[in-house]
Amino acid sequence: MSLYSIGEVARICGINPVTLRAWQRRYGLLKPQRTEGGHRLFNDDDLDTIRTILSWINRGIPVGQVKSLLEGKVEALPGGWSQGEHRLLTALQDGRSNKVRQLIIELGREYPAASFVNNILRPLRERLSSGDSRLLMMRSQLDGLIIEHAVMCMNAARKRPGTPATLTGWGHTDSTELWLEAIVRCEEGMQVEILPVPLDEPHLENLSGSQILLWSEGKLTQIQRQRLLNWVEQGLSIILLGSSAVILSAGEDEPHEESEPALLPHDESHTILQMVPLRKEGKK
């Protein structure tokens, strides 16, 4: 049976080594072997266990309940995400910034970054957006701590091998979304730099040596579509993020050029762009 280091397991399963350590130390979910030097070694059965854990977590099962599920002692209960969201909200309502900071670090270790961001932080921000000035104040406090956590993740990612990436907003966007996306991309192995102020006219040509993560909201205008086409023709590597990517990948805009950016779905929130010539009718 093959053996894998914690770094290899992290790459295979798409999960941060910090999370794997937390699952072992705090929850006893994993029991890796050790080398003579004390380094963890995982086998194929461990990989299967990790994938099972991820499947339960993605269904909203609290990580603290997973060990009993693995041992077959209980039936799965829903509500894990709402529990994490409630804990953060309670700390915000009590004005305990240090507690919120501690919870963000704790939950960020226990859950894969994409699950934590998409199922706890983003829903909580949305919940705090539709209310009075007191709720908006709490959202502002939360945003500050999200940015703080994102910077910590970005600094940690720079200490590991990774793909250079620049994350920026295009047009009117929620700038905190850039920091949330940075948390996710760092766990995916990117070394992220953020341009924190969204730009109406970004000059992406200056970023040709980097993977470009472009966050945009709403339906792209014809001018924006043409600019996107021009960037791709120049050989820029662009991942379109935000609702613009969802709209574009859903095919709501009709092709209007002889060649268009082909939209390759990567997940529900973004689209990879590449050039694919369109066929012309009547030509062999």
Side-chain angles (χ1 to χ4, degrees), residues 49-229:
T49 298
I50 290 168
R51 294 186 180 107
T52 299
I53 295 169
L54 286 171
S55 70
W56 276 325
I57 286 175
N58 289 333
R59 288 164 50 196
I61 304 302
V63 67
Q65 188 188 350
V66 169
K67 186 174 183 180
S68 295
L69 287 170
L70 288 172
E71 296 172 349
K73 294 180 179 179
V74 298
E75 294 294 327
L77 297 174
W81 300 131
S82 60
Q83 290 178 23
E85 183 181 341
H86 179 73
R87 291 170 68 193
L88 283 170
L89 178 59
T90 300
L92 282 168
Q93 290 173 327
D94 294 343
R96 296 180 290 162
S97 293
N98 284 336
K99 179 62 175 178
V100 178
R101 182 180 290 110
Q102 176 187 342
L103 284 172
I104 289 175
I105 293 173
E106 177 184 318
L107 293 169
R109 287 174 178 167
E110 294 176 356
Y111 293 101
S115 297
F116 175 44
V117 167
N118 293 329
N119 296 301
I120 295 180
L121 293 180
R122 280 183 169 134
L124 178 55
R125 291 190 74 246
E126 181 66 25
R127 184 173 178 178
L128 296 174
S129 299
S130 54
D132 56 22
S133 58
R134 181 171 176 268
L135 293 181
L136 294 175
M137 181 67 182
M138 283 192 287
R139 192 187 74 167
S140 181
Q141 292 172 317
L142 175 64
D143 285 354
L145 295 170
I146 286 172
I147 292 171
E148 180 183 301
H149 184 70
V151 170
M152 182 184 72
C153 294
M154 291 160 64
N155 287 334
R158 293 189 188 103
K159 299 177 183 178
R160 305 186 297 266
T163 303
T166 302
L167 177 57
T168 187
W170 190 13
H172 181 70
T173 63
D174 179 352
S175 60
T176 302
E177 286 291 348
L178 303 180
W179 299 97
L180 289 168
E181 195 65 30
I183 295 171
V184 176
R185 300 297 162 175
C186 286
E187 186 168 284
E188 292 180 352
M190 291 186 178
Q191 296 178 341
V192 179
E193 299 287 347
I194 289 186
L195 306 183
V197 179
L199 302 170
D200 290 329
E201 298 291 335
H203 290 274
L204 302 185
E205 302 85 357
N206 299 331
L207 306 175
S208 58
S210 175
Q211 171 69 68
I212 301 169
L213 307 173
L214 186 62
W215 189 282
S216 179
E217 296 293 347
K219 183 176 180 179
L220 296 179
T221 66
Q222 293 296 331
I223 293 176
Q224 286 176 315
R225 285 173 59 86
Q226 186 58 51
R227 291 208 67 185
L228 201 56
L229 183 64

Side-chain angles (χ1 to χ4, degrees), residues 18-48:
V18 172
T19 301
L20 293 173
R21 294 188 188 100
W23 287 357
Q24 178 198 348
R25 292 172 178 168
R26 183 168 183 178
Y27 296 102
L29 300 179
L30 301 169
K31 296 179 181 179
Q33 303 174 40
R34 296 277 186 170
T35 66
E36 291 183 1
H39 298 292
R40 294 171 177 83
L41 289 176
F42 298 82
N43 59 31
D44 291 319
D45 289 339
D46 294 321
L47 264 61
D48 288 341

Side-chain angles (χ1 to χ4, degrees), residues 168-174 214-221 224-225 228 238-253 261 263 267-273:
T168 187
W170 190 13
H172 181 70
T173 63
D174 179 352
L214 186 62
W215 189 282
S216 179
E217 296 293 347
K219 183 176 180 179
L220 296 179
T221 66
Q224 286 176 315
R225 285 173 59 86
L228 201 56
I238 299 176
I239 297 178
L240 184 64
L241 306 163
S243 63
S244 295
V246 177
I247 294 171
L248 208 53
S249 63
E252 293 188 17
D253 291 333
L263 304 170
D267 63 26
E268 293 183 353
S269 65
H270 74 272
T271 300
I272 299 174
L273 304 180

